[in-house]
Amino acid sequence: MRFNTPRRLTLVVTATLALILVTVYVSVTNGTFDMSVGDVLRTLLRINPLPEHDLVVFDFRLPRILIALLVGFGLGIAGSVVQGITRNGLADPGMLGINAGAGMAIVLFMLLLRDRLNFKDGWLSFMAMPMFGLLGGLAAALLIFIFAQSRGRLDPQQLILVGIAVSSGFGAVTLYLSLKMSPSDFEAAAVWLAGSLHRSNWRYITAMLPWFALLTPYIWYKSRTLDVMQLRDDNSLGLGVKLTRERQWLVLAAVGLVAACVSVSGSIGFVGLIAPHIARRLVGIHYRYMMPISGLVGMTMVALGDLIGRTIFAPAELAVGVVISIIGVPYFVYLLFKSRA
């Protein structure tokens, strides 16, 4: 069967969007407070809405669903970029240390600054922690750029090795800082580091949208460059691709997406690893087709994982990062053995 035909691409997009809509429907109507479809529609269309329905739909469920979709889309796109730059199908955005850098910054903020900064109920009270997470992710990216340069070139293999080292270093600092925290702060930090969407709100969505609006079109515009990067470096250079510059800008774009996602959702692993693999199986290896599908698959994974963690274990709640890890670890082992075969 031929890949990348308009008919196949349309079929895959339609099927994926249908699965996303079903997941959204179940997420909006089900939970601790169940609502019928009529209740949801009346609330959305403002037809005699009840205060409790407004609270559930607009304050709790819709922001959480939208952030799940945005985070999944961003991690899926970033994962395809990282795998394309490194030419490694087992690469993941978490290997670049972005998740660990953001986690370290969040724990540092909770330990040293949160109680000392007396924010009122305004923008800063909601955005202080995500802003620190974003700064931590960018700090990890800066370290990667400094140490992954080899003779003025950004080497793909060295990028992975440096990312793993940076991630381990930030993880060790995070563990040390968490041991200094009070029990309540430690519990909150542990939930965030596991990848949770329970603090979702509209301001987080507003903070994420500019990153997606700027970086996603740029990454898709560079899809042909990513296709060429799958060749050997000498061949890519012979075709006129300035590899070092292109890799630097694409890594920076992927870092921006991942940092924006991690800053509001915590560390959610395996989405950037699994989504590109599924997308390649569905539409082939060309990035102009594969990247959007990878984003849609990521949206489905995070939204479905959050729904499972929120409903299956009710009244307890399992972090979406834990749910996806339960699914992702066996898939990662399968990919590892397949790559050795």
Side-chain angles (χ1 to χ4, degrees):
M1 184 179 294
R2 292 179 59 193
F3 284 132
N4 300 337
T5 61
R7 181 179 178 182
R8 183 179 181 85
L9 184 64
T10 302
L11 179 63
V12 171
V13 170
T14 303
T16 310
L17 288 177
L19 183 57
I20 291 173
L21 289 176
V22 171
T23 305
V24 170
Y25 160 74
V26 177
S27 297
V28 172
T29 56
N30 289 270
T32 305
F33 184 86
D34 290 336
M35 298 176 64
S36 66
V37 179
D39 293 334
V40 174
L41 290 177
R42 282 190 293 271
T43 302
L44 294 176
L45 299 175
R46 315 310 297 156
I47 302 175
N48 298 322
L50 298 177
E52 57 269 27
H53 290 171
D54 274 348
L55 180 67
V56 171
V57 172
F58 289 109
D59 290 351
F60 295 122
R61 292 184 182 170
L62 273 186
R64 184 164 182 161
I65 292 169
L66 290 176
I67 285 185
L69 296 177
L70 286 173
V71 167
F73 182 81
L75 294 178
I77 295 290
S80 64
V81 172
V82 172
Q83 291 182 9
I85 292 171
T86 60
R87 296 196 296 266
N88 187 340
L90 297 179
D92 179 83
M95 289 183 179
L96 297 182
I98 311 304
N99 295 8
M104 187 273 294
I106 292 294
V107 172
L108 184 65
F109 167 75
M110 297 178 69
L111 176 64
L112 300 179
L113 298 177
R114 187 172 66 172
D115 294 334
R116 299 181 184 181
L117 297 177
N118 186 21
F119 294 134
K120 296 181 179 179
D121 291 333
W123 180 266
L124 287 178
S125 66
F126 287 94
M127 294 308 304
M129 196 165 81
M131 283 192 299
F132 269 81
L134 186 60
L135 291 175
L138 294 177
L142 179 61
L143 290 176
I144 291 171
F145 277 122
I146 292 174
F147 293 109
Q149 297 284 343
S150 177
R151 297 179 181 178
R153 298 175 60 180
L154 192 63
D155 183 76
Q157 302 306 318
Q158 196 166 350
L159 184 70
I160 295 178
L161 294 176
V162 171
I164 294 173
V166 169
S167 180
S168 299
F170 278 127
V173 174
T174 301
L175 179 60
Y176 173 77
L177 293 175
S178 63
L179 296 176
K180 303 289 185 179
M181 303 174 74
S182 64
S184 60
D185 286 342
F186 177 81
E187 182 179 356
V191 171
W192 188 90
L193 291 171
S196 176
L197 303 176
H198 78 285
R199 299 182 74 251
S200 301
N201 59 74
W202 293 104
R203 291 175 179 176
Y204 284 5
I205 297 173
T206 304
M208 294 177 67
L209 287 178
W211 294 88
F212 282 76
L214 291 173
L215 298 177
T216 303
Y218 171 77
I219 290 174
W220 189 80
Y221 174 73
K222 291 294 183 179
S223 57
R224 295 188 183 276
T225 302
L226 284 166
D227 286 335
V228 177
M229 284 184 181
Q230 305 317 297
L231 305 173
R232 294 174 60 90
D233 284 0
D234 293 340
N235 296 333
S236 300
L237 290 170
L239 292 172
V241 176
K242 298 179 180 179
L243 283 178
T244 298
R245 188 184 68 179
E246 296 292 351
R247 281 172 178 156
Q248 288 174 343
W249 282 106
L250 283 169
V251 166
L252 192 60
V255 165
L257 281 181
V258 174
C261 295
V262 173
S263 66
V264 301
S265 66
S267 181
I268 299 177
F270 291 104
V271 176
L273 170 67
I274 297 174
H277 277 274
I278 296 176
R280 288 191 193 94
R281 287 178 174 270
L282 293 175
V283 296
I285 62 174
H286 294 293
Y287 274 80
R288 64 176 300 187
Y289 302 105
M290 188 269 285
M291 277 199 297
I293 301 302
S294 180
L296 291 175
V297 172
M299 294 170 70
T300 307
M301 289 179 61
V302 178
L304 191 58
D306 185 56
L307 174 63
I308 292 172
R310 185 170 57 86
T311 58
I312 298 299
F313 302 95
E317 182 176 314
L318 195 62
V320 60
V322 176
V323 175
I324 294 178
S325 295
I326 293 173
I327 302 171
V329 168
Y331 192 81
F332 178 78
V333 174
Y334 162 74
L335 292 177
L336 185 62
F337 278 101
K338 185 179 178 182
S339 66
R340 293 180 176 179

